[in-house]
Structures are given as structure tokens and as C-alpha cells.
Amino acid sequence: MSILPNCPECNSEYAYEDGGLLVCPECAHEWSLETENSEDQKIIKDSNGNVLKDGDSVSVIKDLKVKGTSLVVKIGTKVKNIRLIDGDHNIDCKMDGFGAMKLKSEFVKKI
């Protein structure tokens, strides 16, 4: 017998499976295991509110100074194949002319 998680609403231990859903008999809350697992992942959005995914292409929306150098990433610079990471700078990418760099999602828009 598999061990099912407690109800996320009332923390009841009597949840049961009904098709693809889990159901709580005490509060009648229904949920799926896929939703429960995806809640652990943080959703990262661009400056316009579009959800970003690994492999997306984005464009820089304002000039950004590169710390420690005199270089500036110009507005409109396109970045392909981004990778989402945890932290303050939540986009990891490679830019032509700059190399590997981390960006904040608030300064890009999805193409």
C-alpha cells in the first residue's frame, strides 16, 4: 500500500485516490500529486509577466552595467537559450561579446 500525503487544506491523514486525484473525506478538498510537486518550483516571470522556461529567448529592456568592467549590455540585446536558477539573479546565460552572465528576470522580456 502506498503512503498518501495529508490534505493540504485541513491536514487530514485520511486522503484517498479517486482516479487521478486525491480526495479528502473530511473537507472535500481535491488535488493532484502533479500540482503538489510543481508547487516546490518557483515560477519566474519577465518584466511583462510572461512565465519563463529553460531554453527561452529573451531581450534586455534597459542598459545594464556589467560589474567590475566598463562594459554595458545595451537595450534590445537578445539572449538565446537561457537557464533558470535560484537566487537574486535568476537567469544564467551566455551573451555574445560578454560570455557567461547572470541576469535578473525583471530586466528582460520574452521574445
Side-chain angles (χ1 to χ4, degrees):
M1 183 172 170
S2 65
I3 299 173
L4 297 174
N6 291 350
C7 174
E9 293 291 315
C10 68
N11 205 25
S12 170
E13 61 186 24
Y14 301 111
Y16 62 91
E17 283 186 279
D18 185 23
L21 295 175
L22 296 174
V23 180
C24 175
E26 293 182 3
C27 71
H29 178 68
E30 297 179 347
W31 73 100
S32 67
L33 284 174
E34 290 83 33
T35 329
E36 188 172 279
N37 293 337
S38 66
E39 288 175 0
D40 296 339
Q41 299 174 356
K42 187 175 180 183
I43 296 174
I44 299 175
K45 296 183 178 184
D46 69 355
S47 61
N48 294 334
N50 298 319
V51 177
L52 296 173
K53 302 180 296 191
D54 286 342
D56 280 345
S57 295
V58 296
S59 175
V60 178
I61 63 166
K62 74 177 248 182
D63 289 347
L64 301 172
K65 291 183 180 180
V66 180
K67 262 190 181 174
T69 68
S70 61
L71 299 174
V72 176
V73 177
K74 295 288 186 183
I75 186 171
T77 303
K78 292 181 173 72
V79 182
K80 297 179 183 176
N81 199 18
I82 64 170
R83 190 169 58 98
L84 302 177
I85 57 174
D86 290 331
D88 186 30
H89 292 72
N90 45 17
I91 296 175
D92 193 20
C93 61
K94 289 185 181 176
M95 297 177 124
D96 293 337
F98 295 100
M101 185 172 293
K102 294 183 179 179
L103 299 170
K104 291 185 177 184
S105 60
E106 61 196 59
F107 298 122
V108 299
K109 67 177 181 179
K110 192 173 182 178
I111 299 176

